[in-house]
Amino acid sequence: MVLFCMAAVAIAAPTLPVAGSSITSKGNPLFHDKFTADPAPLVVGDRLYLYVGHDEAQRDEMFNMREWLLYSTADIKTWTDHGAIMKVSDFKWAKGDAWASQAIEKDGRFWFFAAVEHDATHPGKAIAVAVSDKPTGPFVDAKGSALITNEMTPKGTHSWEDIDPTVFTDDDGTTWIAWGNRQCYIARLKPNMIEIDGPITEITPPHFEEGPWLHKRGALYYLTYASLDRSTHRDEKVSYSTAPSIQGPWTYWGELTGSGKYSFTIHPGIARFKGNWYLFLHNATLAIGDQNGSIGRRAVTVEYLQYNADGTLKPVEQSDAGITVPPQR
Ligand code: FUB
């Protein structure tokens, strides 16, 4: 990864909300009291839950992420701050790095998948799985060990290859998990949600960097991800591919967004909620006190996601107004 630390433009709100309090969003970034990253939306009934990583990097630190936070909304304007729903220390076998996550509902329970740094018994990044009876937690380690370790993907060239899980349940009830950095992998999950079922297959799309997100609309499957064309770009953008089946073949459609302002990373999370589709991202425009945005001090944003008649996605412009203004048709 490349280190970029840039000046930030957004100024922190004067009052700091506490867990349980209500936040009325006035545009992007969504939240001003904490640095947030790697947004992962989940719709349950009439609420949208947004799981994020908590960026706590100090000065020139690259990342300092120890816990995952949760926000929820019924109208995508007013958000409830639920505070931390899990700490990386809750996974006893992990030694740090509460990186990107995603939660899904299956059979009435909520399964939370997240990237962490494994201890010395399986060096490198790993994927953890936790479970709760409610989307708001408390979540507990569901397996007592990693679901995916670095040794399980031997083709990879670096220790942080096994990050950024995305989970998706197909119409036949099978849940799939995709993940990766530089290489993108996919595998079936067993119905118990804590074991891989069958082979791990590589599906790396063009310019794949990290942050895959699986979703389906109509008959089409989408693999949206943080992309980096190292020959021309300094910062990640979002690109996507589509397929007629979760098992491919995948067709690459190119870039969906530009880079997140001042941010090397960008991390897509997609959800349909009350008739609209949303693309959650992050940038590094937020400043809190004397802490400017940086690679490890990011802020979550949201934009409308719109489809063309053939199922391809309309390019998304990132803006300060975000979804406070109606989408352009
Ligand atoms: O937030 C830590 C890492 O940075 C995530 O796992 C990646 O997707 C990137 O956003």
Side-chain angles (χ1 to χ4, degrees):
M1 282 206 182
V2 188
L3 281 169
F4 293 107
C5 184
M6 305 281 292
V9 293
I11 302 300
T15 51
L16 300 182
V18 292
S21 65
S22 173
I23 300 164
T24 300
S25 172
K26 297 185 177 65
N28 288 324
L30 287 177
F31 315 119
H32 286 228
D33 62 313
K34 301 181 198 81
F35 292 107
T36 56
D38 304 328
L42 172 68
V43 175
V44 183
D46 68 351
R47 287 193 85 76
L48 184 145
Y49 292 85
L50 189 64
Y51 299 81
V52 300
H54 187 188
D55 267 341
E56 299 183 274
Q58 303 298 308
R59 295 170 292 279
D60 294 338
E61 223 177 353
M62 188 172 178
F63 291 124
N64 182 348
M65 304 182 79
R66 298 178 293 177
E67 59 187 11
W68 296 274
L69 309 175
L70 177 63
Y71 298 85
S72 75
T73 183
D75 61 6
I76 208 107
K77 288 189 196 98
T78 305
W79 294 82
T80 300
D81 177 353
H82 296 275
I85 48 105
M86 216 177 168
K87 294 185 181 304
V88 69
S89 56
D90 295 332
F91 297 109
K92 297 299 173 213
W93 48 268
K95 73 176 190 191
D97 293 348
W99 283 17
S101 70
Q102 187 180 347
I104 60 164
E105 183 176 7
K106 179 106 187 234
D107 301 330
R109 303 190 85 193
F110 296 88
W111 300 88
F112 180 76
F113 297 81
V116 300
E117 180 74 20
H118 206 294
D119 69 17
T121 58
H122 296 279
K125 287 284 181 292
I127 293 175
V129 52
V131 67
S132 173
D133 291 332
K134 291 184 293 185
T136 48
F139 284 89
V140 295
D141 187 349
K143 189 172 165 81
S145 61
L147 172 68
I148 295 160
T149 62
N150 199 27
E151 297 99 321
M152 290 166 69
T153 53
K155 184 184 168 194
T157 53
H158 53 295
S159 66
W160 64 97
E161 182 199 17
D162 297 287
I163 63 169
D164 295 2
T166 177
V167 271
F168 167 79
T169 301
D170 208 348
D171 299 338
D172 66 357
T174 305
T175 302
W176 296 80
I177 182 166
W179 72 97
N181 178 288
R182 307 272 176 89
Q183 278 85 31
C184 185
Y185 298 104
I186 194 165
R188 270 192 192 87
L189 285 172
K190 288 187 180 173
N192 66 16
M193 301 292 274
I194 61 168
E195 289 174 278
I196 297 290
D197 190 6
I200 293 173
T201 306
E202 187 180 345
I203 54 165
T204 309
H207 308 303
F208 178 80
E209 185 68 11
E210 56 191 359
W213 186 274
L214 288 169
H215 83 280
K216 187 181 183 196
R217 176 179 173 269
L220 210 52
Y221 295 75
Y222 294 78
L223 173 63
T224 308
Y225 55 95
S227 57
L228 188 60
D229 180 349
R230 289 172 185 277
S231 63
T232 53
H233 298 317
R234 193 184 69 168
D235 296 331
E236 294 177 348
K237 301 182 179 189
V238 173
S239 297
Y240 76 105
S241 297
T242 62
S245 149
I246 190 72
Q247 297 187 75
W250 293 97
T251 301
Y252 173 61
W253 291 102
E255 289 170 357
L256 175 64
T257 74
S259 298
K261 199 170 182 184
Y262 305 144
S263 181
F264 168 61
T265 65
I266 192 169
H267 190 106
I270 294 171
R272 183 171 192 267
F273 184 57
K274 299 191 175 176
N276 285 315
W277 285 88
Y278 296 98
L279 173 66
F280 291 87
L281 302 163
H282 63 225
N283 63 29
T285 62
L286 180 68
I288 301 179
D290 61 359
Q291 299 261 60
N292 285 339
S294 73
I295 188 170
R297 288 188 293 275
R298 296 160 290 180
V300 164
T301 66
V302 64
E303 302 290 350
Y304 289 107
L305 183 66
Q306 295 183 281
Y307 298 82
N308 295 308
D310 64 358
T312 55
L313 298 172
K314 295 191 176 174
V316 174
E317 290 295 327
Q318 297 170 76
S319 63
D320 295 339
I323 60 167
T324 60
V325 294
Q328 292 187 336
R329 301 283 174 191

